[in-house]
């Protein structure tokens, strides 16, 4: 809800009668709070502000702010605590535990999926569907997200811990958090977690900074490389180019490894290759530290244990503003070992989200000559809707933030129950409703091939561990074909790396797709291959680390 910026409508000091009502509402919503704790939260003689905002999707939200920190937010007459409040009372809500890398996805607006939930030996907390709950990361009881249970605890078990677990409303590092003092979560030891989790389970998610750098650096670990001044210059050029042309404010905070892999590498001129170990910095962390301390271009912060992110960019920095990106745009991709069959350059496909005109919305797009089934980028949809509104003079005269509903908009965007009630819509609501009633699809463009458009969402690469027999484990990798990756090449490369047998298995229900199966728990090795060799962006990989599925022995 707060992954994007919101608009403040009003900010007023709460009245005495409203303060008493708020106390009563908090007591009803959170009965475990004692009278003394309630008095600390809502003191009688201290200034408490009521801030009314509009979220980026048009939702009306009320914030209750004390000492510049929002403590509660109210949506549709229901109160929710913020992370600032939960850091003071971490046991206020039932809590679901997940791994630190998952936090980055939650901050980006994703919900908590059940495969990412760590189930303690005592079981999940007992919640009903829609119950308010919190999310923590392993080894720290300080909540980092707030939301509602997508299903009850019983249904979570019956679903085999698959599907949506928590519908996330607010997270640490989102815009609601940024409305406060921007403090970090306190360290609240989770002793039970430390005893429950064994080292093997925690090895891959708890990536250290060094491990992340190993995933994106291609130099040999055993070979010392002398410092090359031209490499320092190349790093600075690619760094400035990436900040100026690639990184958007909406992407922050951005993992440093993702920044290097997805942005700096793509800005490297043709015929050259970034090699950190040939620079004077040797490591990405030292290079970014220099960019922060000497140039003040970025601010880097450790948001979770051992994992650094770029949290701020100084877009007005003279060094950045004066930099002119080189004209060359086509960059050769780094070669990827193809299982002993020679070096094959791998170019990741370009994946773009599109929207298709539905039959219901066709009248709205007729003036733009867009018929049913026509696909467009979101920006093009906004442009067409804006032109339609202006052409039909539908901008409200009294308030230009609203659009008057005419018969066409009524039929296309309103529910039947709204026909007699809704006379106008905010611009954001108008765009949101339009996109919501269109068919979402995606376009995949492989180098040298014609674009391919498919309905729905592209499936991420799925990496999971399954059990065979009593103690044997195998690692399964699926959906490689969707990204133009040869499963046979991945199987051969993994077999050579880990010295374990690998086979290709047909995917049930699919004629032309196979999964890679390799002996042992090789999640780290698969992740290292796909991420470190620049195959697939991190957000396109789904790592399942929950209780493994038991397979029937052949």
């Amino acid at each position: 809800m707060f992954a994007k910026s919101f608009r403040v409508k009003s900010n007023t000091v709460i009245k005495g009668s409203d303060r008493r009502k708020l106390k009563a509402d908090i007591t009803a919503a959170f009965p475990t709070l004692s009278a003394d704790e309630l008095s600390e939260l809502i003191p009688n003689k201290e200034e408490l502000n009521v801030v009314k905002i509009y979220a980026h999707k048009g939702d009306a939200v009320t914030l209750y702010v004390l000492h510049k920190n929002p403590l509660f937010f109210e949506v549709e007459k229901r109160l929710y605590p913020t992370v600032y409040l939960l850091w003071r009372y971490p046991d206020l809500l039932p809590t679901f535990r997940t791994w630190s890398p998952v936090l980055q996805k939650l901050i980006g607006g994703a919900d908590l999926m059940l495969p990412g939930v760590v189930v303690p030996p005592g079981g999940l907390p007992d919640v009903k569907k829609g119950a308010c709950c919190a999310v923590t990361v392993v080894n720290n009881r300080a909540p980092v997200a707030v939301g509602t249970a997508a299903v009850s605890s019983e249904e979570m078990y019956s679903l085999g811990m698959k599907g949506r677990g928590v519908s996330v409303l607010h997270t640490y590092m989102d815009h609601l958090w940024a409305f406060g003092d921007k403090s970090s979560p306190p360290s609240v030891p989770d002793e039970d977690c430390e005893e429950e989790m064994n080292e093997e389970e925690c090895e891959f998610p708890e990536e250290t900074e060094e491990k992340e750098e190993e995933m994106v650096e291609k130099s040999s670990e055993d070979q010392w490389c002398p410092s090359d001044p031209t490499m320092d210059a190349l790093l600075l050029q690619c760094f400035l180019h990436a900040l100026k042309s690639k990184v958007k404010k909406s992407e922050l905070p951005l993992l440093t490894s993702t920044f290097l892999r997805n942005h700096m590498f793509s800005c490297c001129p043709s015929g050259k290759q970034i090699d950190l170990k040939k620079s004077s910095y040797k490591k990405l962390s030292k290079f970014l530290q220099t960019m922060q301390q000497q140039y003040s271009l970025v601010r880097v912060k450790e948001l979770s244990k051992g994992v650094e992110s770029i949290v701020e960019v100084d877009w007005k920095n003279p060094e950045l503003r004066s930099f002119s990106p080189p004209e060359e745009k086509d960059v050769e991709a780094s070669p990827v070992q193809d299982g002993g069959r020679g070096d094959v350059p791998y170019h990741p496909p370009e994946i773009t989200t599109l929207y298709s005109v539905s039959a219901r919305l066709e009248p709205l797009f007729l003036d733009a000559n867009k018929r049913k089934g026509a696909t467009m980028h979101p920006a093009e949809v906004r442009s067409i809707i804006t032109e339609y509104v202006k052409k039909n003079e539908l901008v409200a005269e009294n308030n230009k933030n609203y659009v008057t509903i005419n018969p066409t908009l009524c039929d296309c965007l309103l529910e039947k129950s709204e026909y007699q009630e809704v006379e106008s819509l905010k611009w954001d609501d108008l765009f949101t409703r339009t996109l919501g009633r269109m068919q979402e699809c995606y376009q995949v463009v492989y180098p040298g091939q014609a674009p391919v458009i498919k309905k729905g969402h592209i499936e991420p690469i799925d990496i999971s561990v399954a059990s065979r027999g009593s103690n044997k484990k195998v690692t399964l990798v699926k959906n490689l074909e969707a990204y133009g990756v040869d499963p046979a090449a991945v199987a051969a490369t993994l077999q050579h790396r880990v010295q374990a047998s690998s086979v290709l298995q047909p995917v049930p229900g699919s004629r032309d797709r196979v999964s890679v199966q390799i002996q042992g728990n090789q999640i780290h090795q698969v992740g290292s291959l796909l991420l470190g060799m620049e195959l697939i962006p991190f957000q396109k990989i789904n790592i399942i680390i929950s209780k493994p599925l038991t397979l029937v022995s052949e």
Side-chain angles (χ1 to χ4, degrees), residues 327-535:
E327 295 182 1
E328 184 179 17
K329 294 182 179 179
D330 295 329
V331 180
E332 290 288 334
S334 301
V336 177
Q337 288 291 338
D338 192 8
R341 296 180 297 175
D343 288 345
V344 180
Y346 173 79
H347 298 258
E350 181 181 339
I351 303 169
T352 308
T353 299
L354 301 175
Y355 289 87
S356 171
V357 177
S358 62
R360 179 177 176 179
L361 265 63
E362 190 175 29
L364 196 55
F365 291 88
L366 286 178
D367 291 344
N369 295 319
K370 300 291 184 180
R371 303 289 178 175
K372 177 184 175 183
T375 57
M376 292 166 279
H377 291 81
E380 186 179 0
V381 175
R382 293 175 67 95
S383 177
I384 292 174
I385 297 302
T386 301
E387 183 62 27
Y388 176 87
V389 170
K390 291 181 178 180
K391 181 179 179 180
N392 291 275
E393 300 180 349
L394 298 178
V395 179
E397 295 181 359
N398 298 330
N399 190 339
K400 297 187 181 299
N401 292 324
Y402 286 81
V403 174
T404 303
I405 300 299
N406 67 356
T408 300
L409 290 176
C410 178
D411 292 339
C412 292
L413 303 181
L414 298 186
E415 302 293 341
K416 290 184 178 180
S417 59
E418 297 177 319
Y419 285 177
Q420 304 300 324
E421 299 178 1
V422 179
E423 298 179 353
S424 62
L425 291 173
K426 289 179 64 64
W427 279 101
D428 285 347
D429 194 11
L430 183 72
F431 295 136
T432 300
R433 287 178 181 238
T434 302
L435 293 175
R437 284 162 174 75
M438 300 180 74
Q439 171 70 53
E440 187 173 347
C441 49
Y442 63 93
Q443 174 182 278
V444 182
V445 181
Y446 294 99
Q449 299 182 24
V452 177
I453 297 177
K454 299 182 180 181
K455 294 181 179 180
H457 302 273
I458 187 169
E459 296 182 11
I461 290 180
D462 189 293
I463 308 173
S464 61
V465 176
S467 294
R468 280 188 175 276
S470 56
N471 297 320
K472 295 182 180 179
K473 292 182 179 180
V474 294
T475 301
L476 305 174
V477 188
K478 303 176 184 177
N479 303 330
L480 291 168
E481 299 92 336
Y483 300 86
V485 180
D486 184 4
V490 171
T493 302
L494 288 172
Q495 181 173 342
H496 175 73
R497 279 194 177 192
V498 301
Q499 297 297 302
S501 64
S502 63
V503 295
L504 299 180
Q505 299 280 4
V507 175
S510 176
R511 296 180 179 179
D512 55 354
R513 293 167 60 189
V514 296
S515 64
V516 176
Q517 177 178 306
I518 187 165
Q519 286 186 351
N521 183 345
Q522 310 295 350
I523 281 185
H524 179 75
Q525 291 291 342
V526 177
S528 177
L529 174 65
L530 298 181
L531 294 176
M533 300 299 286
E534 299 178 77
L535 292 186

Side-chain angles (χ1 to χ4, degrees), residues 32 63 127:
T32 57
L63 311 180
V127 298

Side-chain angles (χ1 to χ4, degrees), residues 1-4 69-70 73 81-87 98-110 133-137 140-147 168-187 251-255 299-305 307-311:
M1 176 171 282
F2 305 106
K4 296 183 180 180
N69 279 342
F73 62 98
T82 66
V83 290
Y84 289 111
L85 175 67
L86 292 177
W87 292 342
T98 188
W99 303 100
S100 296
V102 178
L103 175 57
Q104 293 296 327
K105 293 189 176 183
L106 302 185
I107 292 173
C133 50
V135 179
T136 64
V137 295
N140 192 351
R141 288 176 49 242
V144 293
V146 180
V168 176
L169 298 174
H170 156 54
T171 69
Y172 164 61
M173 291 296 293
D174 68 6
H175 286 269
L176 178 57
W177 166 86
F179 195 71
D181 62 15
K182 299 183 182 180
S183 55
S184 300
S187 179
E251 291 184 82
L252 301 180
L254 178 66
L255 282 172
R299 186 164 68 89
V300 179
K301 190 174 182 180
E302 188 177 74
L303 299 183
S304 57
K305 185 179 179 181
V307 181
E308 289 188 338
S309 297
I310 297 175
V311 297

Side-chain angles (χ1 to χ4, degrees), residues 128-365:
K128 298 184 181 296
K129 181 179 180 180
C132 187
C133 50
V135 179
T136 64
V137 295
V138 170
N139 296 331
N140 192 351
R141 288 176 49 242
V144 293
V146 180
T148 58
V151 293
S152 67
S153 302
E154 293 182 358
E155 290 176 294
M156 292 179 186
Y157 286 120
S158 64
L159 292 171
M161 295 302 292
K162 294 182 179 180
R164 196 181 312 277
V166 178
S167 300
V168 176
L169 298 174
H170 156 54
T171 69
Y172 164 61
M173 291 296 293
D174 68 6
H175 286 269
L176 178 57
W177 166 86
F179 195 71
D181 62 15
K182 299 183 182 180
S183 55
S184 300
S187 179
V188 184
D190 193 349
E191 297 177 357
D192 293 338
C193 172
E194 293 177 357
E195 295 176 358
E196 293 161 8
M197 299 295 118
N198 58 54
E199 294 181 359
E200 181 179 354
E201 290 175 320
C202 297
E203 181 180 338
F204 183 73
E206 291 292 331
E207 289 177 331
T208 63
E209 176 185 319
E210 289 76 10
K211 285 183 180 178
E212 288 215 358
E213 290 174 5
E214 288 171 5
M215 288 184 177
V216 293
E217 295 175 7
K218 291 189 169 87
S219 302
S220 171
E221 296 178 358
D222 299 325
Q223 181 181 1
W224 180 82
C225 298
S227 177
D228 182 355
T230 59
M231 185 57 65
D232 286 5
L234 178 63
L235 279 173
L236 180 59
Q237 174 187 319
C238 296
F239 174 77
L240 294 172
H241 189 177
L243 289 183
K244 194 154 189 174
S245 306
K246 303 291 184 179
V247 178
K248 299 178 181 179
K249 290 183 180 180
S250 58
E251 291 184 82
L252 301 180
L254 178 66
L255 282 172
T256 56
S257 58
T258 302
F259 172 69
L260 175 65
R261 184 172 56 248
N262 292 356
H263 298 308
M264 286 186 63
F265 280 172
S266 65
C267 293
C268 189
S270 178
K272 296 185 179 180
Q273 184 175 351
I274 292 176
D275 191 337
L276 279 162
K277 292 196 174 183
K278 288 183 179 179
S279 71
S280 62
Y281 306 103
K282 304 302 181 187
K283 291 185 178 182
L284 176 61
S285 58
K286 292 183 179 179
F287 171 72
L288 292 176
Q289 186 179 21
T290 302
M291 297 300 102
Q292 174 175 294
Q293 296 178 353
Q294 294 187 15
Y295 295 92
S296 300
L297 282 161
V298 294
R299 186 164 68 89
V300 179
K301 190 174 182 180
E302 188 177 74
L303 299 183
S304 57
K305 185 179 179 181
V307 181
E308 289 188 338
S309 297
I310 297 175
V311 297
E312 187 177 322
V313 176
D314 184 6
W315 307 103
K316 297 182 180 179
N317 186 288
E319 190 81 21
L320 183 59
R321 295 185 67 177
S322 62
F323 175 78
S324 298
E327 295 182 1
E328 184 179 17
K329 294 182 179 179
D330 295 329
V331 180
E332 290 288 334
S334 301
V336 177
Q337 288 291 338
D338 192 8
R341 296 180 297 175
D343 288 345
V344 180
Y346 173 79
H347 298 258
E350 181 181 339
I351 303 169
T352 308
T353 299
L354 301 175
Y355 289 87
S356 171
V357 177
S358 62
R360 179 177 176 179
L361 265 63
E362 190 175 29
L364 196 55
F365 291 88

